[in-house]
Amino acid sequence: MKHLFRLVTFRMVFLSPLQSALTLLGVSLGVAVFVAILITNRSILTTYTRSVELLTGKATLTVTSDERGFNEESIRAVRGTEGVLASSPIVETAALIKEGKGRGDVLWILGVDLLEEDPFRHYEASVIDPDGDPFSLLTRPDTLFVTERFARRHGVSVGDSLMLSVNHLTRRLIVRGLLGPIGPALAEEGNIALMDIASAQWIFGKVGRLDRIDLLTSPGGIEEVASRLRAKLPSSISIDRPESRSRQVERMLSAFQLNLTALSSISLFVAFFLIYNTLSFSLARRRREIGLLRTIGATERELFHLYLSEGIGFGLLGGIFGVALGYLFAHGALEVVSTTVTSLYLWIPRERVTLNLQVLIEGIGIGVGVALFASLLPVRSAT
């Protein structure tokens, strides 16, 4: 069998290099498109899940509502509920940088009460305005703390101003400190900014409103506390575990991502027919070769395995090259899909594309699988 493969298959490849190269390219492109969408879909969900974990910190329950938020008076009822050990009110919003350094980028702003934050999250001010300590600076209405990563990426320094747009409101804020790479500062690719909660409410038109309350509850009684809160608070307010937000987003994006996957599958059908047509045409031209091989003693089973291995070989090589191309395509696809998801559903930062072992195995497996099914009929017919 090994000698047959060397004498027959390699000979066919060398005699028809253009046909073999085009088939290999077609399979590679088919796998590449599918893998690019696969990487993009997973990157988006992974990015959001990681950001939720970093932003919610040690919270065991979160109180949320729709995009309009809810009345800040609700925090009294929350703090008076049995089993609630600590609570932290938060105002959060996505702001578009309108001009200057970082123009066009999106900054996720957290308005927090630093006195309530310690049980949940830790912040580290690596650089601050020399005029005061972080706490006194943060209470100035126009103060903004950005992450070191954001500052490096856009060349922002302490004392620079950022023109931000939120819901048709445009405000100029001053960067008075940088956040070190710890806790929430690691979320959203570093596009995180910190403000005092009262300043954020006033500047972004949310006076008297909250977007979220993070809760720390007594161990073992999370569901009981959630039930008590639901009985106290209006029905428009949701009380869930932080991880449920990721599941909700996954369900919300499932139809969109399914459409992308279905569209990318078309490329696999193209690869399927390329292999099918290549093998059918090749085997039709090699009838004489097949007859000679049978005459000198090659069995039908041996020939079946020989020609089937040709098709699988195209799939294997196409899968390997396709994964590499898919990784390159994913950079562009992630940019486009992230922008679309941000426009239609919720803001998703542009996370770096990563290629892991699972995607590598799946991509090669898809190439081999498509080649196997595409090869069965022409090989069976020829032998």
Side-chain angles (χ1 to χ4, degrees):
M1 182 67 183
K2 180 172 64 175
H3 299 297
L4 280 177
F5 191 84
R6 178 170 54 83
L7 293 172
V8 176
T9 301
F10 281 5
R11 178 173 171 271
M12 184 274 296
V13 171
F14 286 122
L15 288 176
S16 307
L18 181 60
Q19 182 182 0
S20 301
L22 289 175
T23 302
L24 184 59
L25 178 62
V27 176
S28 299
L29 290 175
V31 173
V33 173
F34 190 86
V35 167
I37 296 301
L38 182 68
I39 292 175
T40 300
N41 286 342
R42 290 182 180 175
S43 293
I44 286 176
L45 289 178
T46 301
T47 299
Y48 184 80
T49 301
R50 180 172 176 269
S51 294
V52 167
E53 291 173 353
L54 290 169
L55 292 175
T56 54
K58 299 177 183 178
T60 53
L61 284 175
T62 58
V63 179
T64 57
S65 185
D66 56 27
E67 65 276 3
R68 296 170 297 176
F70 53 93
N71 196 306
E72 65 181 10
E73 293 296 324
S74 299
I75 199 167
R76 294 184 179 179
V78 169
R79 288 173 174 169
T81 302
E82 181 185 352
V84 175
L85 303 180
S87 61
S88 177
I90 295 173
V91 170
E92 53 186 359
T93 188
L96 179 67
I97 302 176
K98 295 291 289 183
E99 62 180 40
K101 297 173 180 178
R103 181 179 181 180
D105 207 349
V106 176
L107 197 59
W108 190 254
I109 299 178
L110 296 178
V112 301
D113 183 347
L114 284 183
L115 296 176
E116 305 291 345
E117 278 289 284
D118 191 56
F120 299 92
R121 288 162 287 269
H122 294 289
Y123 305 94
E124 179 184 89
S126 60
V127 181
I128 63 171
D129 192 303
D131 292 338
D133 62 85
F135 183 79
S136 64
L137 289 172
L138 200 59
T139 56
R140 296 184 188 179
D142 61 349
T143 291
L144 195 68
F145 274 60
V146 300
T147 66
E148 292 178 351
R149 189 173 182 181
F150 176 86
R152 282 196 305 270
R153 186 161 59 236
H154 297 300
V156 174
S157 303
V158 171
D160 291 345
S161 64
L162 293 176
M163 184 69 78
L164 303 177
S165 175
V166 176
N167 297 329
H168 308 295
L169 295 174
T170 302
R171 298 287 186 267
R172 185 178 295 278
L173 301 179
I174 309 299
V175 176
R176 290 202 167 94
L178 303 182
L179 299 173
I182 184 173
L186 295 171
E188 312 290 2
E189 280 289 274
N191 281 32
I192 291 289
L194 204 63
M195 292 184 68
D196 176 66
I197 186 170
S199 300
Q201 287 176 313
W202 178 67
I203 286 178
F204 298 122
K206 295 186 175 185
V207 175
R209 310 293 291 178
L210 297 176
D211 293 307
R212 192 174 92 226
I213 303 175
D214 286 343
L215 305 178
L216 196 62
T217 60
S218 52
I222 297 176
E223 291 304 324
E224 290 78 0
V225 174
S227 298
R228 296 188 196 109
L229 288 169
R230 291 188 186 102
K232 279 186 170 186
L233 298 175
S235 58
S236 59
I237 296 179
S238 301
I239 298 94
D240 295 297
R241 298 193 181 208
E243 56 267 24
S244 68
R245 294 176 65 186
S246 299
R247 291 196 294 270
Q248 291 168 1
V249 169
E250 187 173 354
R251 288 194 295 269
M252 181 174 65
L253 296 179
S254 60
F256 175 75
Q257 294 185 324
L258 179 62
N259 287 335
L260 289 180
T261 303
L263 288 173
S264 67
S265 299
I266 296 175
S267 64
L268 295 180
F269 280 106
V270 174
F272 177 94
F273 285 112
L274 275 172
I275 294 177
Y276 176 85
N277 288 333
T278 298
L279 279 180
S280 296
F281 182 68
S282 174
L283 292 174
R285 291 170 54 196
R286 296 155 70 188
R287 290 282 182 178
R288 183 171 178 273
E289 175 186 278
I290 295 171
L292 289 173
L293 291 172
R294 291 298 303 274
T295 301
I296 62 176
T299 66
E300 180 181 335
R301 188 183 191 87
E302 288 174 333
L303 293 180
F304 180 82
H305 289 157
L306 173 68
Y307 295 125
L308 187 64
S309 66
E310 290 183 12
I312 294 176
F314 279 120
L316 180 61
L317 291 175
I320 294 172
F321 293 137
V323 170
L325 282 174
Y327 176 73
L328 297 177
F329 291 169
H331 289 81
L334 185 60
E335 179 78 19
V336 174
V337 174
S338 295
T339 302
T340 304
V341 170
T342 298
S343 301
L344 298 178
Y345 301 101
L346 75 166
W347 182 58
I348 296 288
R350 291 161 179 79
E351 183 67 86
R352 289 175 298 176
V353 175
T354 56
L355 179 63
N356 54 40
L357 181 61
Q358 183 179 357
V359 173
L360 181 64
I361 293 173
E362 288 180 6
I364 295 175
I366 288 169
V368 172
V370 167
L372 176 63
F373 285 108
S375 305
L376 282 175
L377 185 60
V379 170
R380 180 60 185 161
S381 174
T383 57

